[in-house]
Amino acid sequence: FGKDLPLYIEVGMGKGQFITELSRRNPEINYIGIERYTSVLYRALQKRELLTEECGEEFPNLRYLCVDAKDLPNFFGKGEVDRIYLNFSDPWPKERHARRRLTSREFLARYEEILADGGLVEFKTDNRSLFDFSLEEVESGWELLVCTYDLHHDKELMEGNVMTEYERKFSNLRNPIHKLVIRKPNRNAE
Ligand code: SAM
């Protein structure tokens, strides 16, 4: 990035609307969007290019990584990341696929490795089963700071909320949006 700033990442960025808007609002933070499919990342790059051409916006604090999130510890050092966003992650409804859910304990262990002390994970979804599953998974030492089943009717939590593509789509269908925020476990204090 050329500037040593706090690092926030979005895992499963999709077409990038959320992280692009965050990077625009917060020039004092560096952002990396993680997306495993080149075809999807390509759409994000096209949108970015259009914004640069039409509005002259450069997004110097926004980069991308086209990798599978299970490999995150190979790409980030221990404690390098300050915040992780998970938005409308794939639900993987079959029980035998539970480990693929981005809020499974297997993924939380990977996040714990790369997060700085006190680092946060923020998760939004309209999928109640995935949300309830996630709440069970975070019981393993993570501190639950925020938990709502209806984000869009919580005035305080909606302050500064940035909509994702899926959030707009599902809230237009009147699906309630669930959100949780968790803090990395302090294993020294246990
Ligand atoms: N976050 C966006 C939103 O809220 O609009 C996109 C949500 S879309 C349902 C989930 C995205 O996560 C897809 O683009 C998918 O390719 C990506 N994804 C799913 N599992 C992933 C993984 N293990 N590593 C990286 N990206 C992943």
Side-chain angles (χ1 to χ4, degrees):
F1 284 104
K3 264 193 194 173
D4 195 14
L5 298 171
L7 180 61
Y8 290 12
I9 67 175
E10 183 186 8
V11 179
M13 160 192 81
K15 294 179 205 150
Q17 180 173 303
F18 172 83
I19 201 162
T20 305
E21 179 55 27
L22 279 189
S23 74
R24 176 192 274 144
R25 287 189 194 181
N26 306 302
E28 73 292 351
I29 293 166
N30 285 332
Y31 291 93
I32 297 181
I34 317 282
E35 171 53 53
R36 70 172 159 185
Y37 291 125
T38 46
S39 55
V40 182
L41 179 56
Y42 183 67
R43 296 291 302 279
L45 290 172
Q46 279 181 320
K47 286 181 161 200
R48 176 187 179 141
E49 210 169 80
L50 208 66
L51 283 169
T52 303
E53 275 170 18
E54 290 183 353
C55 315
E57 292 189 78
E58 295 286 352
F59 307 101
N61 58 336
L62 176 59
R63 297 280 185 274
Y64 311 95
L65 254 182
C66 192
V67 300
D68 191 307
K70 71 177 163 44
D71 298 323
L72 283 177
N74 297 338
F75 291 93
F76 294 97
K78 284 192 195 314
E80 191 181 357
V81 176
D82 294 284
R83 190 167 303 181
I84 297 175
Y85 294 104
L86 306 170
N87 293 313
F88 298 81
S89 309
D90 298 334
W92 294 106
K94 290 187 181 144
E95 203 40 54
R96 68 172 190 278
H97 291 149
R99 283 150 56 111
R100 298 185 190 175
R101 298 173 193 152
L102 292 184
T103 50
S104 65
R105 63 196 62 195
E106 288 80 6
F107 272 98
L108 290 176
R110 295 173 181 122
Y111 305 150
E112 190 174 334
E113 222 178 303
I114 63 170
L115 271 177
D117 289 343
L120 305 182
V121 176
E122 297 200 9
F123 172 51
K124 292 194 278 191
T125 183
D126 69 318
N127 186 306
R128 180 65 186 258
S129 310
L130 178 63
F131 192 71
D132 288 341
F133 165 83
S134 309
L135 282 173
E136 282 169 25
E137 295 297 275
V138 304
E139 274 170 13
S140 55
W142 291 76
E143 190 184 346
L144 185 61
L145 302 178
V146 167
C147 176
T148 177
Y149 290 90
D150 194 0
L151 172 67
H152 289 190
H153 289 99
D154 186 316
K155 218 171 148 197
E156 210 175 305
L157 290 178
M158 276 305 277
E159 257 174 55
N161 182 60
V162 173
M163 290 266 224
T164 79
E165 276 102 346
Y166 274 67
E167 185 171 354
R168 194 168 299 283
K169 184 164 115 186
F170 290 124
S171 58
N172 283 344
L173 295 173
R174 301 200 178 282
N175 292 5
I177 307 300
H178 319 314
K179 177 174 181 176
L180 63 81
V181 180
I182 51 176
R183 184 184 283 142
K184 175 179 161 162
N186 179 359
R187 302 283 178 204
N188 296 331
E190 283 173 9

